[in-house]
Structures are given as C-alpha cells and as structure tokens.
Amino acid sequence: MTYYKEHSKVWVSVDVIIFGFDEQKLKVLIGRRQMDPGRGEWSLYGGFVAADESIDDAAQRTLETLTGLNNLYMRQVGAFGSIDRDPGERVISIAYYALINVKDYSEQLRLEHGVEWVDINEVPPLYSDHNKMVDQALHIMRQKIKTAPISFRLLPSLFTLTQLQRLYEAVIGEEVDKRNFRKRIKDMDFVEKTDLIDKKSSKRGAALYRFNNKAYHEDSNFKL
C-alpha cells in the first residue's frame, strides 16, 4: 500500500560548514559548485540524504568524503527550507558545522575536491542561502566557545597560549586582554603545561600546552 500519495514530495539535503584555523585566522572551506543549478558558483559542500540513512549519517558521510577524517566535532546548525531556496527542486537542507585542524586535512584531497580555505571575513557570495548557513553556524560557535572547549578541535595537539588566544579572538571577532585571558586559562586544570618548548614563535621560545579531556569532564564549571 502506498501512503501520502496526496502530498507532494520534497528533497532533503545536508550542507556542512567546515571551520579551520590557520595563520591566525578563522577560515571556512568552500568550493565551486560542480552541478546545475548554480554550476560554478561558490558553495558549501553537501549532498542529498539517501533513503537508507539518517540526516546525521548523511552529514557524517559528506564530511568524511570531503576530508577523509572521522571522529570530528560536528553539530547541527538548523534547517533551511525557504520555498525558493533552490531553483532546481523543492529542497530542504539541514546544515551542520564541523571543526578541524587545517594541518590534518590532506592537501591532495583538498585539490581533488576543488575546495579552498577562505578567511571568514572574506567569504564571497555563496549559492542559495549558504551565506546564511555560515553566519548562523558562526553565531552558534561564538556562543559555544565560551562554555565548552571546542577551540581545541581547531588546534594541534600541542599549542602555545598565544595560539589559543589568537584562535579565541578570531572566533569571537574581537581582541581580548592578554593578561586576563592567560589568567583564566591557567586556572583551568584541563589546560596542561608541558615540558616542551616551541622555538618557532619567538627567540626565547614559548611553552607548549595540551588539552586534558579527562580533567575537563571532572570540571563542570568551565566558562571563558
């Protein structure tokens, strides 16, 4: 028996906003659309949800296809379903954002997919409502970074406090007081100082830190 024949069908897709941090700048991964409609326009990377997968699985598949990485931080942004958002068909898209360390992303894979890292402040006009997706994802991340240690997803496993501060500033879009920032960071048991020194950032060298996930989960009062 066939159900819902009296209702029109719509397509469901996922789009993934991938943020990375490189050269002290927050960046987003975009590419030229390789299909009609909108072929050649700047666009996020996405795809349609298959009949045998959930929207979360579709987003995970899309993310892995593009980056070759798994176990990445990914969260849903929301649904975008304006009637005229896609000139091809009636398409509802569920947007997700993901955080990766740019250095972990294969340059060969990036070239194969034809995508580029673009400064978050220099994002060009994107296909359909993709600019709105990026803006909404950024807003969510700016709120989340103050209450959860998601910033460590964008950094290498070992980092300096200067790198951590520059990342935080890049995400929230404003400078913070260095002394107060470092005081708050050093009060967090889950940000551990190591015996290693980064000699690339300065002549004197800077201490390298790492994130302790176990200590974080034992601290329920995190707020930056």
Side-chain angles (χ1 to χ4, degrees):
M1 182 179 293
T2 302
Y3 298 98
Y4 313 127
K5 290 191 297 182
E6 70 275 20
H7 298 288
S8 60
K9 293 183 178 180
V10 298
W11 298 86
V12 179
S13 67
V14 293
D15 286 292
V16 183
I17 304 108
I18 302 176
F19 291 115
F21 181 67
D22 189 34
E23 298 176 355
Q24 300 186 9
K25 295 180 179 179
L26 181 67
K27 298 185 177 181
V28 64
L29 200 61
I30 62 174
R32 295 287 186 179
R33 189 169 165 87
Q34 299 178 9
M35 61 184 293
D36 293 320
R39 185 184 298 271
E41 293 183 32
W42 287 109
S43 171
L44 296 172
Y45 193 84
F48 287 100
V49 179
D52 61 348
E53 64 182 353
S54 69
I55 55 174
D56 287 349
D57 288 341
Q60 186 63 47
R61 169 180 55 80
T62 300
L63 183 61
E64 286 192 34
T65 299
L66 178 59
T67 67
L69 303 171
N70 52 33
N71 296 321
L72 296 175
Y73 180 92
M74 182 173 66
R75 295 292 185 273
Q76 190 179 121
V77 175
F80 294 77
S82 296
I83 296 174
D84 58 351
R85 66 173 302 275
D86 192 308
E89 291 286 352
R90 178 76 168 95
V91 181
I92 295 173
S93 182
I94 314 300
Y96 291 75
Y97 81 96
L99 309 178
I100 71 173
N101 176 11
V102 172
K103 303 300 182 185
D104 291 338
Y105 185 31
S106 164
E107 180 67 8
Q108 180 180 347
L109 199 57
R110 184 188 70 77
L111 293 174
E112 286 179 6
H113 286 288
V115 290
E116 299 181 18
W117 288 109
V118 177
D119 188 324
I120 193 63
N121 296 311
E122 299 175 357
V123 177
L126 303 176
Y127 174 75
S128 185
D129 49 9
H130 290 189
N131 286 94
K132 292 182 180 179
M133 293 180 181
V134 173
D135 290 343
Q136 191 162 321
L138 182 58
H139 174 75
I140 292 173
M141 184 166 64
R142 282 175 172 168
Q143 300 303 312
K144 192 71 172 178
I145 201 172
K146 298 175 182 179
T147 59
I150 63 172
S151 55
F152 302 104
R153 300 281 187 162
L154 294 161
L155 292 170
S157 57
L158 295 173
F159 52 86
T160 67
L161 291 185
T162 297
Q163 285 178 300
L164 183 57
Q165 181 180 337
R166 294 290 179 264
L167 168 59
Y168 185 76
E169 291 175 332
V171 172
I172 67 173
E174 59 185 48
E175 293 184 5
V176 298
D177 181 77
K178 178 179 178 180
R179 182 178 299 179
N180 290 337
F181 182 83
R182 296 199 172 199
K183 182 179 184 301
R184 292 199 299 271
I185 293 298
K186 289 181 179 180
D187 286 340
M188 298 173 183
D189 293 336
F190 53 85
V191 181
E192 295 181 337
K193 184 178 181 180
T194 72
D195 295 328
L196 302 174
I197 300 295
D198 174 28
K199 296 183 178 180
K200 296 180 181 179
S201 57
S202 67
K203 293 181 179 179
R204 293 177 57 188
L208 287 167
Y209 291 74
R210 65 187 170 199
F211 172 66
N212 185 319
N213 189 59
K214 181 179 179 181
Y216 165 68
H217 286 290
E218 293 173 354
D219 181 358
S220 59
N221 298 312
F222 171 74
K223 188 173 183 180
L224 191 60

